Amino acid sequence: MATARAADEAPAPAAPAFDVKNAFRNICGFCHEDYGRKQGKGPQLMDNPNSDDYLFNRIRNGKPGRMAAFGGAFTDDQIREIVVFIRKLKPNENP
Amino acid sequence: MKRHSRKAITTASVAVLAGLAFGAQANEGILKRSANDWPSYHGDYKSWHYSDLNQINAGNVGKLTEAWSHVASRATRGLQGFPLAVDGVLYYSSPYNQVYALDGATGQMLWTYKQKLNEDLVAKQTHSPYNRGIAVGFGNVYMGTLDGKLVAIDAKTGKLNWETKLVNSEKLTVGFTGAPLLVKDKIIIGSQGGEWPWRGPIFGVDAKSGKEAWKFFVVGGNEGTASDRRDTWGGDSWKTGGGGGWMPGSYDADTDTVWWGTGNPAPLYDWAGDEWMTKGPRPGINLYTSSVILLNPDTGELKGYHQVLPHDAWDYDPASGELMLIEQGGKKYVVHPTKAGFVFVFDRTGKPVNVYKGVDNINFVQDIKPDGTLVGRRDMKEGKHGNLCPAIAGGYSWNSGAYSPKTGLLYKVGFEWCMDLEVVKTTPILEPMAQLNIGANFTFQPPKDGPARGHIRARDPVSGKVKWEMKFKVPPHGGLMATGGNLLFIPEADGWFSAVDAATGKVLWRHNNGQGHNGGTITYMAKGKQYVATVTGFGSLVGDAYGELWGEPWVSMPKDAGVLKVFALK
């Protein structure tokens, strides 16, 4: 099979600003299926009954064996954006 | 490398451990394995997960009873490893890189080792804190750690002899969870990789000194050598290509060749669809991801390869799946069940000579020809796609199958499950530390031909012809083991531990271990008596999906408990 000869292509530029949807797709969706609208390895996030503070702390600090801590990967402001993203999830509308 | 004040193991102290596996020629302990021992993750280099022992056999297995047990602390996500047994001593690892040495006959604890981990880092890892196994040799027990080290623990005392930092886990997030493989005077270990934006190396380390001897980059090969194929990655995508080799491979002493299955490229899914050669996040065939590679154990030089899935767009990496060295009709093969649900049969040069379907629900390709050529790829562009089979967890999962030379049959758990997905564009997240790069949202679904389910098929390993089948409403997720007693042991997902007639599949013995199994089963002799050991505990990245698909008892099953269970005849 022929191989790609794309050395002249420019590298993908780094994301200039926090893209919450990209972050969710990259990372969170591995466990929280369908943008968090369905239970997967992790629980459904849409209509989650826990408070915003609870979600913030869970994302920031994780829970051993159940969820990694993303406090090192994301700033507190970015985690708040993820919480807002979760709160806007709707059953039949892609975020 | 960090060397500790404790001196490396000496010849004199090695002599205390009489078995070949711990001797100066540790390689021989695996190559000429005593039936009394289980000295390597896959049993020995043939990787059959088989023992000749027959004190426990199809005629008396009904009298098998629990002899002793050992509870592991902090067993988050259960025990996922394989114990090893040498000279009547059983060694096993548990989450958070803990290792135990126990008297194989009584369970009397000999020592416990707890690796000093960067706990903040471990808390940030998604594929963690489990450990899937260890290696023994040169008086050491070897283990890869969650924070990127290879450690050598004195097999007699449980003290750290040396540790070598191999992966900058603080930056890359990942480290090691798979078992090392001892080959000659090297410890070979593959890093985690596939989902993360880096180059996922496989390492060779001097087994005595701990000095890194070589490193092979799964993504693109090694610069300045004949293996350099970064040209199979468009642009700079090779810098963030994933790879790794997260389960141990095999060694063919006849050709002095290490066989290793490699991890998938990142992102897992590719929005370019069928234009992947020139577009998308990683244009090209992406060597050497999702491949079987053949390495020189002394130098790490690439001797050959077969890319099982050129430009893998489905996360069916053949990093998992044992590489069984099997002879049949005077010919030598390597038989490799892959996550894609196909079984590859290679000659000893790495050339496929047969490929057959091991599970029923496969539609990511129409077929794979006996020479390994993919036919009718299903490349998915950005957007929603239904009923991709098998599901991301694989037609075959990472736990091992078994092969019995007595029956001539290969035994393997197959999974019938699919998923719906939405392929999405992603950008790698590298700062402040690397993060998963999946490239899709997905949801598990039953296949079109019935409920999600599983089976164990006993088949000719070369032709694939099935001799018998056991059907499971819920597939087991522990490693199988076959024995010279005409037995096949099956650690099931609901807690049952079963022994069946290896020739027929008839159930001969069952015992409930109280929680699901995610790890392996071995057998060994201690003080003249045969023992069977298995590990319990559920909640791996595959096991976590069981609650979603099958409800109870997996929803409520503990995710933080694990016990070593050892059985013998009454």
Side-chain angles (χ1 to χ4, degrees):
Chain A
M1 176 180 275
T3 57
R5 300 286 178 186
D8 55 342
E9 291 182 12
F18 183 63
D19 180 341
V20 63
K21 191 171 178 177
N22 181 60
F24 199 96
R25 287 168 161 178
N26 276 33
I27 304 164
C28 315
F30 191 61
C31 294
H32 301 286
E33 293 187 357
D34 195 20
Y35 286 106
R37 295 179 297 185
K38 183 179 181 301
Q39 181 192 331
K41 289 188 280 291
Q44 176 180 311
L45 298 176
M46 183 177 65
D47 301 328
N48 189 289
N50 294 299
S51 68
D52 287 1
D53 283 349
Y54 178 96
L55 294 175
F56 176 89
N57 287 319
R58 179 55 60 88
I59 296 167
R60 189 175 192 273
N61 303 319
K63 181 181 180 183
R66 302 304 300 157
M67 178 168 167
F70 291 99
F74 303 126
T75 66
D76 286 357
D77 284 345
Q78 290 170 336
I79 293 172
R80 287 189 190 96
E81 284 192 55
I82 295 172
V83 174
V84 169
F85 179 88
I86 290 168
R87 291 304 190 202
K88 288 181 177 176
L89 292 171
K90 293 184 172 60
N92 299 310
E93 185 182 318
N94 268 0
Chain B
M1 184 187 68
K2 184 179 179 184
R3 177 165 284 283
H4 290 252
S5 57
R6 182 178 304 281
K7 287 180 66 177
I9 195 93
T10 64
T11 304
S13 55
V14 167
V16 174
L17 299 151
L20 277 172
F22 277 116
Q25 299 296 323
N27 201 57
E28 298 288 295
I30 304 173
L31 203 57
K32 299 176 181 176
R33 166 192 174 195
S34 161
N36 294 343
D37 295 341
W38 194 285
S40 188
Y41 180 89
H42 293 302
D44 53 38
Y45 293 134
K46 294 189 293 291
S47 299
W48 292 350
H49 292 268
Y50 169 84
S51 168
D52 278 329
L53 294 180
N54 60 9
Q55 196 179 81
I56 301 166
N57 55 57
N60 62 18
V61 71
K63 295 178 182 175
L64 199 63
T65 190
E66 188 171 329
W68 56 269
S69 63
H70 178 262
V71 177
S73 65
R74 302 185 79 190
T76 304
R77 284 183 162 157
L79 301 179
Q80 299 189 24
F82 270 74
L84 301 183
V86 179
D87 298 336
V89 177
L90 185 147
Y91 306 88
Y92 81 101
S93 62
S94 69
Y96 294 97
N97 292 129
Q98 302 177 89
V99 184
Y100 312 91
L102 305 157
D103 182 297
T106 66
Q108 174 69 41
M109 185 177 290
L110 303 177
W111 52 257
T112 298
Y113 175 84
K114 296 177 184 292
Q115 177 71 10
K116 289 178 182 173
L117 288 168
N118 177 344
E119 297 269 352
D120 286 343
L121 167 64
V122 175
K124 293 170 183 170
Q125 296 175 323
T126 54
H127 293 36
S128 180
Y130 46 84
N131 179 271
R132 290 180 178 154
I134 51 182
V136 296
F138 299 103
N140 291 320
V141 175
Y142 301 96
M143 173 175 61
T145 70
L146 297 165
D147 52 1
K149 298 172 183 171
L150 179 70
V151 301
I153 306 156
D154 188 309
K156 189 167 174 53
T157 66
K159 304 298 183 186
L160 183 68
N161 273 334
W162 51 256
E163 63 178 23
T164 301
K165 182 80 167 173
L166 297 171
V167 175
N168 182 2
S169 302
E170 288 71 15
K171 182 68 179 174
L172 296 163
T173 310
V174 293
F176 299 106
T177 54
L181 178 71
L182 183 144
V183 177
K184 299 163 78 174
D185 61 352
K186 300 291 188 302
I187 294 294
I188 300 172
I189 188 165
S191 61
Q192 295 176 283
E195 283 78 57
W196 283 271
W198 71 316
R199 299 183 66 196
I202 294 167
F203 297 90
V205 177
D206 186 283
K208 297 175 187 172
S209 69
K211 184 179 179 184
E212 181 182 319
W214 53 260
K215 173 164 55 179
F216 179 79
F217 285 107
V218 167
V219 176
N222 288 0
E223 197 170 349
T225 74
S227 70
D228 187 354
R229 291 306 305 273
R230 290 172 294 157
D231 63 340
T232 62
W233 298 80
D236 277 352
S237 61
W238 60 274
K239 293 179 179 176
T240 55
W246 47 276
M247 291 292 281
S250 298
Y251 172 63
D252 180 3
D254 291 346
T255 59
D256 192 25
T257 302
V258 170
W259 288 63
W260 210 276
T262 67
N264 51 281
L268 282 54
Y269 302 92
D270 185 342
W271 62 82
D274 59 7
E275 297 181 283
W276 53 262
M277 275 299 288
T278 55
K279 295 181 179 176
R282 46 181 172 85
I285 60 172
N286 304 154
L287 287 174
Y288 298 90
T289 57
S290 292
S291 302
V292 171
I293 59 174
L294 283 63
L295 299 174
N296 179 320
D298 301 318
T299 64
E301 177 191 1
L302 184 71
K303 300 173 73 173
Y305 69 94
H306 174 76
Q307 191 173 34
V308 172
L309 300 175
H311 193 91
D312 181 354
W314 316 277
D315 189 19
Y316 299 143
D317 54 322
S320 64
E322 49 286 353
L323 292 145
M324 295 177 165
L325 277 61
I326 289 175
E327 294 187 36
Q328 190 184 87
K331 294 184 177 178
K332 294 182 176 183
Y333 302 101
V334 175
V335 177
H336 184 44
T338 68
K339 196 176 166 187
F342 285 90
V343 180
F344 278 68
V345 183
F346 299 100
D347 68 15
R348 295 290 176 92
T349 70
K351 177 185 172 189
V353 295
N354 193 24
V355 180
Y356 58 84
K357 282 184 179 177
V359 301
D360 301 331
N361 287 279
I362 295 176
N363 65 16
F364 75 98
V365 290
Q366 292 172 3
D367 200 4
I368 299 180
K369 290 181 179 179
D371 68 358
T373 304
L374 274 57
V375 179
R377 294 173 60 111
R378 183 178 175 186
D379 289 302
M380 299 167 291
K381 283 187 182 295
E382 183 180 12
K384 292 186 176 181
H385 304 270
N387 189 44
L388 175 69
C389 309
I392 186 173
Y396 291 130
S397 187
W398 53 267
N399 255 310
S400 64
Y403 169 74
S404 168
K406 293 193 73 170
T407 63
L409 296 173
L410 165 68
Y411 310 91
K412 188 75 180 172
V413 178
F415 295 74
E416 304 293 347
W417 52 14
C418 304
M419 66 181 196
D420 295 339
L421 71 163
E422 180 185 10
V423 178
V424 295
K425 287 183 177 176
T426 57
T427 305
I429 296 174
L430 308 176
E431 300 293 340
M433 57 196 298
Q435 296 296 319
L436 288 164
N437 191 6
I438 305 298
N441 292 296
F442 52 82
T443 182
F444 279 60
Q445 299 288 353
K448 297 290 186 188
D449 68 348
R453 63 195 186 276
H455 44 73
I456 293 175
R457 288 174 178 162
R459 61 173 85 235
D460 182 288
V462 176
S463 72
K465 183 181 179 183
V466 175
K467 183 177 181 188
W468 57 258
E469 178 186 40
M470 291 179 73
K471 295 180 178 178
F472 293 86
K473 288 183 178 176
V474 179
H477 195 247
L480 306 179
M481 179 188 71
T483 74
N486 196 32
L487 293 170
L488 178 70
F489 285 87
I490 307 169
E492 298 183 39
D494 56 2
W496 286 99
F497 184 42
S498 304
V500 306
D501 186 313
T504 65
K506 180 184 177 184
V507 177
L508 301 174
W509 173 85
R510 297 190 90 200
H511 176 85
N512 198 319
N513 278 333
Q515 59 179 333
H517 303 84
N518 252 333
T521 300
I522 69 162
T523 189
Y524 61 93
M525 292 287 279
K527 295 184 172 66
K529 194 168 184 177
Q530 184 184 355
Y531 294 86
V532 172
T534 194
V535 293
T536 73
F538 217 65
S540 70
L541 289 168
V542 176
D544 285 349
Y546 275 50
E548 173 192 3
L549 284 166
W550 293 293
E552 294 291 5
W554 294 278
V555 172
S556 303
M557 196 173 277
K559 304 292 192 299
D560 56 358
V563 179
L564 171 77
K565 295 271 192 173
V566 181
F567 298 85
L569 294 174
K570 288 176 186 171

